Amino acid sequence: EKGGYEHFMLKEIYEQPDAVTDTYRGRMLVEQSLIRMAGVDDNLERFLNADRIIIVACGTSWHAGLVAEYIFEDIARIPVEVEYASEFRYRNPIIGSKDVVIAISQSGETADTMAAIKLAKEKGAFVFGVCNVVGSSISRETHAGAYTHAGPEIGVASTKAFTTQITVLSLIALKLAKAKGAISNSDFQYHLEELDLIPEKIKQALASNEHIKKVAHKYMNAANFLYLGRGFNFPVALEGALKLKEISYIHAEGYPAAEMKHGPIALIDEKMPVVVIATKKGHYEKVVSNIQEIKSRKGKIIAVVTEGDQDVRSMADYVIEVPDTVEALTPLLTTIPLQLLSYHIAVMLGKNVDQPRNLAKSVTVE
Ligand code: M6R
């Protein structure tokens, strides 16, 4: 059942090239320069007339929502707010019939997300679900939706659900951008072609596995980790930190790189590994200067970089390369090494990777 892998989590990490392909198959028609998604097509006016989109979710799904915020705002120019479902449901949110709410949930059973959906519906909002489990409670409770088609995810630490959620949300953002005229035809086509290359590039990212194992071995005994990223990759930093916490029980925090100087930099010394996402895209120079700040305080730098990068290599203790792609899609690649890093650290520490203590696959109580 684990298909020759030692754990479900590792199997699911390796399934991502296929899972992402399954997510866009039949929806993204590259040759016709078209995205077809019934749940969106049937409700296009609701989406196009929305004053804003509110995304509600928990945990890793919330991180996918944060990535989507960057993508929707950048590509489709629609204002987005991302909320923890648990906060949204209890804070008497201002929401009405012109709002579109997107609820993201792998299991489709998360109690807080379900309660947020019910509240949004009561207030007249249109609620769209992005679920993995077909026929789940949330997929039934929402007005429309799109499944991620990632296949069953057994490992408690979410991996392929995250990348396929980002894939679905990217498709929706691109589709709305096209319908609104917020993106040129050539840029739209370019994004489709780039998305079509992502599964192959995930495979290339997975090929760093042995190298990542060495990094894991080097830092497995650290008591704390920091994860830093900017822009589209800030939520990836949060997700990397969550993965490490969940399965290795090492304390980790994710931050937007520039926030470091507002506090967390005080934590940095020679014992602190800092994972920095530093792909050669917007903000690259800024991230490089953040790396210099860490270096001058003797922090250990593990950098996720674009293939062929030399500048960061000269400063970092370890670099892990991912292939280049269009900026909005970089999270689909930068996430991969962070999943593997946390996996290997947890295995080396002898932890129960697939069923970490205190956690359940679906959180059906609030
Ligand atoms: O099934 P859901 O996507 O609604 O679950 C939300 C969170 O409980 C979930 O992402 C959790 O944070 C995972 N253990 C993350 O790896």
Side-chain angles (χ1 to χ4, degrees), residues 58-61 104-110 113 156-158 165 239 242-243 246 359-363:
C58 304
T60 289
S61 297
I104 311 173
S105 177
Q106 187 288 128
S107 62
E109 304 296 341
T110 301
T113 309
V156 165
S158 192
Q165 286 163 346
E239 173 60 9
L242 178 65
K243 278 307 70 106
E246 283 191 294
L359 296 175
K361 186 62 188 163
S362 50
V363 183

Side-chain angles (χ1 to χ4, degrees), residues 160-227:
K160 63 177 179 170
F162 180 65
T163 41
T164 56
Q165 286 163 346
I166 295 173
T167 303
V168 162
L169 293 158
S170 303
L171 290 172
I172 299 174
L174 283 163
K175 185 170 174 58
L176 297 180
K178 177 101 185 274
K180 277 184 66 183
I183 192 171
S184 69
N185 288 343
S186 60
D187 206 18
F188 178 79
Q189 179 61 18
Y190 179 58
H191 277 78
L192 301 200
E193 286 166 13
E194 285 295 320
L195 182 54
D196 204 26
L197 294 172
I198 289 291
E200 206 44 50
K201 292 180 179 179
I202 294 179
K203 277 187 201 158
Q204 291 170 36
L206 289 167
S208 295
N209 187 42
E210 288 305 315
H211 172 57
I212 295 169
K213 243 188 209 170
K214 289 192 194 113
V215 182
H217 191 257
K218 175 87 185 170
Y219 297 111
M220 59 184 270
N221 293 314
N224 300 283
F225 267 75
L226 270 183
Y227 285 74

